[in-house]
Amino acid sequence: MTATVPALGTRSAEGSALQAVLLDMDGTLVDTEGFWWDVEVEVFKGLGHILDESWRHVVVGGPMTRSAGFLIEATGADITLTELSVLLNEGFEDRIGRALPLMPGAARLLAELYEQEIPTALVSASHRRIIDRVLTFLGPQHFGLSVAGDEVSRTKPDPEPYLLAASGLGVDPARCAVVEDTATGVASAEAAGCRVVAVPSVAPITPAVRRTVVNSLEEVDLAFLRGMMTEMR
């Protein structure tokens, strides 16, 4: 876990159950889920294997150990998990160095949370080297801290990343709103006891208790998040 700026504290509006907002990165704030798949396709093509499009739904949102491990097993590629992880990270860094599109509504939401001094954390299954690159585009000032997939003993869908983020901000996980785009991330946040806003990117996500599903971040603002927390009390 890395604190990018001093945490802003736990200030919340009177009458609001919301203490902090925890956000996923790939596919939630930045439109990069397609980047990862493109890199995986390219790397495996270089290894002499063609990836099946149906596998995309299997690897989306997962930690690299799970996604890369699945692809090695599915293709029978002659490469170790460590070697493949290096190639995937390098390929992804190259792509985000050329372009890094934000998801619609992401910049506005981050600006509003910052202006209203809502404690906010970036919680991703991506490695620290990737997160730090993306933070230069998102603006590190928008986050009290960030949690990377290679900094926890168990990454998503385990609750550890979100529990660690809430602890770092000094807030109750049950009073945190999490914004996620994949079932893996949603499972992690819900296991941590957080309330979830799901903005599906590649695969659909169904509404559930403690979970609200929207089509875009353009539907999400601070009033929406506070209202969701109040309704779920």
Side-chain angles (χ1 to χ4, degrees):
M1 180 177 69
T2 298
T4 53
V5 294
L8 296 173
T10 58
R11 197 188 84 164
S12 58
E14 288 186 17
S16 171
L18 181 68
Q19 286 187 334
V21 178
L22 315 178
L23 301 117
D24 174 54
M25 187 178 76
D26 293 303
T28 299
L29 294 177
V30 289
D31 191 7
T32 51
E33 287 293 5
F35 284 18
W36 281 113
W37 179 248
D38 290 345
V39 170
E40 287 160 350
V41 168
E42 183 178 291
V43 168
F44 275 89
K45 183 178 181 180
L47 296 171
H49 299 276
I50 303 299
L51 299 189
D52 190 311
E53 182 69 24
S54 67
W55 296 343
R56 182 173 183 176
H57 295 282
V58 178
V59 300
V60 66
M64 185 170 291
T65 51
R66 190 197 75 187
S67 300
F70 168 83
L71 293 174
I72 291 173
E73 183 176 353
T75 61
D78 184 18
I79 189 170
T80 68
L81 183 60
T82 298
E83 291 168 339
L84 180 57
S85 296
V86 170
L87 293 177
L88 294 177
N89 275 317
E90 288 177 348
F92 186 78
E93 283 188 271
D94 178 64
R95 270 172 167 71
I96 64 176
R98 287 180 269 153
L100 186 60
L102 298 185
M103 298 298 289
R108 173 201 47 78
L109 177 59
L110 290 177
E112 181 181 17
L113 296 174
Y114 181 73
E115 290 166 3
Q116 296 300 314
E117 298 184 2
I118 303 300
T120 305
L122 187 66
V123 184
S124 177
S126 290
H127 290 187
R128 170 55 56 190
R129 60 186 284 189
I130 299 297
I131 288 180
D132 286 345
R133 288 288 299 276
V134 174
L135 278 171
T136 64
F137 291 92
L138 292 176
Q141 73 276 8
H142 292 120
F143 305 96
L145 58 87
S146 57
V147 177
D150 56 342
E151 295 174 338
V152 293
S153 57
R154 297 175 302 279
T155 189
K156 303 175 187 180
D158 192 271
E160 182 181 344
Y162 282 110
L163 291 175
L164 184 61
S167 176
L169 291 176
V171 297
D172 180 357
R175 296 183 66 180
C176 292
V178 169
V179 185
E180 272 280 359
D181 73 304
T182 68
T184 299
V186 168
S188 173
E190 291 181 342
C194 304
R195 311 293 172 87
V196 178
V197 180
V199 193
S201 57
V202 175
I205 299 172
T206 58
V209 177
R210 301 174 66 86
R211 181 195 312 164
T212 302
V213 179
V214 299
N215 294 316
S216 167
L217 279 184
E218 293 183 312
E219 301 176 38
V220 181
D221 58 15
L222 184 53
F224 176 94
L225 295 173
R226 283 175 169 157
M228 179 187 72
M229 299 295 288
T230 301
E231 290 170 4
M232 291 181 176
R233 280 179 177 178

